[in-house]
Amino acid sequence: MKNVTIIGAGSMGTALSILLSGNGHIVKMWSPFEAEIKMLNETREHKDKLPGVKIDENVTCTTDLEEALFGTDLVTLVVPYQTVRENIRNIKKYLVKGQIVTCFSKGLEEATGLRMSQVVLQEVPDIKFVAMSGPCHAEELAKLTPTAYVAASQSLEAASYVQDIFMSPKFRVYTNDDIIGVELGGALKNIIALCAGISDGLGFGDNTKAALMTRGLAEMTRMGIALGACSHTFLGLAGIGDLIVTCTSMHSRNRRAGILIGQGLSPDEAINKVKMVVEGIKTTKAAYSLARKLDIEMPITFEAHEVLFNNKNPKEAVDDLMTRDKTYELRGII
């Protein structure tokens, strides 16, 4: 039994509290929003994001960071990825040297293009960081529908520690030392999921989506290799596994936003209608800048950037992708 602190009480944070308390751990869940914590404490349910799913009575919900982090064995970040730096700055004074911090937030920091591990370790270099990624919607995890995930770290000892805490008959966890590939897979698949949604919104079919996902995986792998990742990581849970679930499920906020954009809404209008963080939009901007800087060929990402930030018509973007100069498919997927 461990003391686990969850930073972030949204849908995934709430789902993880159910998983971890079911594993026998002492769970404290923190949110800066008083109304959210009051709702959780009074109803034991996140009525806005996971209606009908009850939180165990032994999960402590609080807005007090010191209370949430006192005596913790594991800190788990489950906040919007663009707020990870702000949140780690707020909690670092409560962390001890060698503290294990795990992160479920997926994305590239907009201003820097950094992965979440890079952001956290810039702020708190003397902790051990474990990235969590894989195919998992909070709506299904909260109901303990079986899935599998990856715990990735430069420290396999830390990854194994996290694996033991989260592992359950409903949540199988693998370890991996390729933290670059695992984090990039979790971030970049949101771009492709947005595009898959746009494809659906335009009325295209299964053929289009299959081609898009396959060539999207090639782009993810291409960037990964350029940044030092192992290509095989993208064929695992944090790559193709997460890509499949995010591109095909209506639980995916990125796919839902993409559908609306394909139907004619602006990105801002789509975000307002989805009413949740759409990670793929700002990740597209960060990935575009990084690819340009490193001269990485990512045509789907580039066209997504034009649609999202330069008002390009999605149909025109598809036409431009389909009429690029002919080429050959390399062995493998890149």
PDB file of all heavy atoms in Angstrom, residues 145-158:
ATOM      1  N   THR A 145     -12.722  -0.969 -17.454  1.00  0.00           N
ATOM      2  CA  THR A 145     -12.675  -1.749 -18.687  1.00  0.00           C
ATOM      3  C   THR A 145     -11.217  -2.073 -18.985  1.00  0.00           C
ATOM      4  O   THR A 145     -10.365  -1.186 -18.952  1.00  0.00           O
ATOM      5  CB  THR A 145     -13.271  -0.937 -19.846  1.00  0.00           C
ATOM      6  OG1 THR A 145     -14.606  -0.559 -19.512  1.00  0.00           O
ATOM      7  CG2 THR A 145     -13.283  -1.740 -21.129  1.00  0.00           C
ATOM      8  N   PRO A 146     -10.855  -3.309 -19.284  1.00  0.00           N
ATOM      9  CA  PRO A 146      -9.444  -3.681 -19.419  1.00  0.00           C
ATOM     10  C   PRO A 146      -8.710  -2.905 -20.506  1.00  0.00           C
ATOM     11  O   PRO A 146      -9.237  -2.665 -21.594  1.00  0.00           O
ATOM     12  CB  PRO A 146      -9.510  -5.173 -19.794  1.00  0.00           C
ATOM     13  CG  PRO A 146     -10.813  -5.645 -19.236  1.00  0.00           C
ATOM     14  CD  PRO A 146     -11.748  -4.478 -19.394  1.00  0.00           C
ATOM     15  N   THR A 147      -7.469  -2.524 -20.205  1.00  0.00           N
ATOM     16  CA  THR A 147      -6.577  -1.922 -21.185  1.00  0.00           C
ATOM     17  C   THR A 147      -5.141  -2.144 -20.735  1.00  0.00           C
ATOM     18  O   THR A 147      -4.888  -2.762 -19.698  1.00  0.00           O
ATOM     19  CB  THR A 147      -6.867  -0.420 -21.389  1.00  0.00           C
ATOM     20  OG1 THR A 147      -6.131   0.038 -22.537  1.00  0.00           O
ATOM     21  CG2 THR A 147      -6.452   0.410 -20.183  1.00  0.00           C
ATOM     22  N   ALA A 148      -4.197  -1.648 -21.531  1.00  0.00           N
ATOM     23  CA  ALA A 148      -2.778  -1.787 -21.195  1.00  0.00           C
ATOM     24  C   ALA A 148      -2.069  -0.469 -21.443  1.00  0.00           C
ATOM     25  O   ALA A 148      -2.452   0.306 -22.325  1.00  0.00           O
ATOM     26  CB  ALA A 148      -2.140  -2.905 -22.040  1.00  0.00           C
ATOM     27  N   TYR A 149      -1.018  -0.221 -20.670  1.00  0.00           N
ATOM     28  CA  TYR A 149      -0.330   1.070 -20.681  1.00  0.00           C
ATOM     29  C   TYR A 149       1.174   0.842 -20.590  1.00  0.00           C
ATOM     30  O   TYR A 149       1.648  -0.269 -20.360  1.00  0.00           O
ATOM     31  CB  TYR A 149      -0.815   1.904 -19.487  1.00  0.00           C
ATOM     32  CG  TYR A 149      -1.264   3.304 -19.845  1.00  0.00           C
ATOM     33  CD1 TYR A 149      -2.285   3.522 -20.757  1.00  0.00           C
ATOM     34  CD2 TYR A 149      -0.674   4.415 -19.242  1.00  0.00           C
ATOM     35  CE1 TYR A 149      -2.711   4.809 -21.068  1.00  0.00           C
ATOM     36  CE2 TYR A 149      -1.097   5.699 -19.535  1.00  0.00           C
ATOM     37  CZ  TYR A 149      -2.110   5.893 -20.455  1.00  0.00           C
ATOM     38  OH  TYR A 149      -2.511   7.171 -20.766  1.00  0.00           O
ATOM     39  N   VAL A 150       1.916   1.936 -20.757  1.00  0.00           N
ATOM     40  CA  VAL A 150       3.379   1.874 -20.688  1.00  0.00           C
ATOM     41  C   VAL A 150       3.878   2.878 -19.656  1.00  0.00           C
ATOM     42  O   VAL A 150       3.445   4.038 -19.643  1.00  0.00           O
ATOM     43  CB  VAL A 150       4.021   2.198 -22.056  1.00  0.00           C
ATOM     44  CG1 VAL A 150       5.539   2.159 -21.950  1.00  0.00           C
ATOM     45  CG2 VAL A 150       3.557   1.216 -23.122  1.00  0.00           C
ATOM     46  N   ALA A 151       4.782   2.440 -18.796  1.00  0.00           N
ATOM     47  CA  ALA A 151       5.491   3.315 -17.860  1.00  0.00           C
ATOM     48  C   ALA A 151       6.918   3.443 -18.368  1.00  0.00           C
ATOM     49  O   ALA A 151       7.667   2.468 -18.384  1.00  0.00           O
ATOM     50  CB  ALA A 151       5.469   2.726 -16.449  1.00  0.00           C
ATOM     51  N   ALA A 152       7.298   4.639 -18.807  1.00  0.00           N
ATOM     52  CA  ALA A 152       8.602   4.837 -19.443  1.00  0.00           C
ATOM     53  C   ALA A 152       9.470   5.782 -18.616  1.00  0.00           C
ATOM     54  O   ALA A 152       9.004   6.826 -18.159  1.00  0.00           O
ATOM     55  CB  ALA A 152       8.426   5.397 -20.854  1.00  0.00           C
ATOM     56  N   SER A 153      10.721   5.417 -18.459  1.00  0.00           N
ATOM     57  CA  SER A 153      11.631   6.252 -17.684  1.00  0.00           C
ATOM     58  C   SER A 153      13.068   5.888 -18.012  1.00  0.00           C
ATOM     59  O   SER A 153      13.367   4.764 -18.439  1.00  0.00           O
ATOM     60  CB  SER A 153      11.388   6.052 -16.186  1.00  0.00           C
ATOM     61  OG  SER A 153      12.269   6.833 -15.407  1.00  0.00           O
ATOM     62  N   GLN A 154      13.955   6.853 -17.802  1.00  0.00           N
ATOM     63  CA  GLN A 154      15.385   6.564 -17.893  1.00  0.00           C
ATOM     64  C   GLN A 154      15.818   5.688 -16.734  1.00  0.00           C
ATOM     65  O   GLN A 154      16.860   5.039 -16.791  1.00  0.00           O
ATOM     66  CB  GLN A 154      16.180   7.871 -17.915  1.00  0.00           C
ATOM     67  CG  GLN A 154      15.950   8.702 -19.169  1.00  0.00           C
ATOM     68  CD  GLN A 154      16.668  10.032 -19.129  1.00  0.00           C
ATOM     69  OE1 GLN A 154      16.886  10.603 -18.072  1.00  0.00           O
ATOM     70  NE2 GLN A 154      17.044  10.537 -20.297  1.00  0.00           N
ATOM     71  N   SER A 155      15.025   5.668 -15.680  1.00  0.00           N
ATOM     72  CA  SER A 155      15.271   4.809 -14.525  1.00  0.00           C
ATOM     73  C   SER A 155      14.287   3.650 -14.556  1.00  0.00           C
ATOM     74  O   SER A 155      13.103   3.810 -14.264  1.00  0.00           O
ATOM     75  CB  SER A 155      15.100   5.600 -13.220  1.00  0.00           C
ATOM     76  OG  SER A 155      15.017   4.722 -12.106  1.00  0.00           O
ATOM     77  N   LEU A 156      14.770   2.470 -14.910  1.00  0.00           N
ATOM     78  CA  LEU A 156      13.872   1.314 -14.939  1.00  0.00           C
ATOM     79  C   LEU A 156      13.387   0.957 -13.538  1.00  0.00           C
ATOM     80  O   LEU A 156      12.309   0.383 -13.372  1.00  0.00           O
ATOM     81  CB  LEU A 156      14.568   0.117 -15.591  1.00  0.00           C
ATOM     82  CG  LEU A 156      14.499   0.081 -17.125  1.00  0.00           C
ATOM     83  CD1 LEU A 156      15.236  -1.128 -17.659  1.00  0.00           C
ATOM     84  CD2 LEU A 156      13.051   0.069 -17.618  1.00  0.00           C
ATOM     85  N   GLU A 157      14.171   1.308 -12.521  1.00  0.00           N
ATOM     86  CA  GLU A 157      13.738   1.092 -11.146  1.00  0.00           C
ATOM     87  C   GLU A 157      12.485   1.920 -10.848  1.00  0.00           C
ATOM     88  O   GLU A 157      11.519   1.430 -10.259  1.00  0.00           O
ATOM     89  CB  GLU A 157      14.857   1.481 -10.179  1.00  0.00           C
ATOM     90  CG  GLU A 157      14.496   1.294  -8.710  1.00  0.00           C
ATOM     91  CD  GLU A 157      15.596   1.778  -7.774  1.00  0.00           C
ATOM     92  OE1 GLU A 157      16.628   2.273  -8.252  1.00  0.00           O
ATOM     93  OE2 GLU A 157      15.405   1.671  -6.546  1.00  0.00           O
ATOM     94  N   ALA A 158      12.499   3.178 -11.280  1.00  0.00           N
ATOM     95  CA  ALA A 158      11.337   4.041 -11.085  1.00  0.00           C
ATOM     96  C   ALA A 158      10.148   3.545 -11.897  1.00  0.00           C
ATOM     97  O   ALA A 158       9.004   3.547 -11.420  1.00  0.00           O
ATOM     98  CB  ALA A 158      11.677   5.476 -11.464  1.00  0.00           C
TER      99      ALA A 158
END
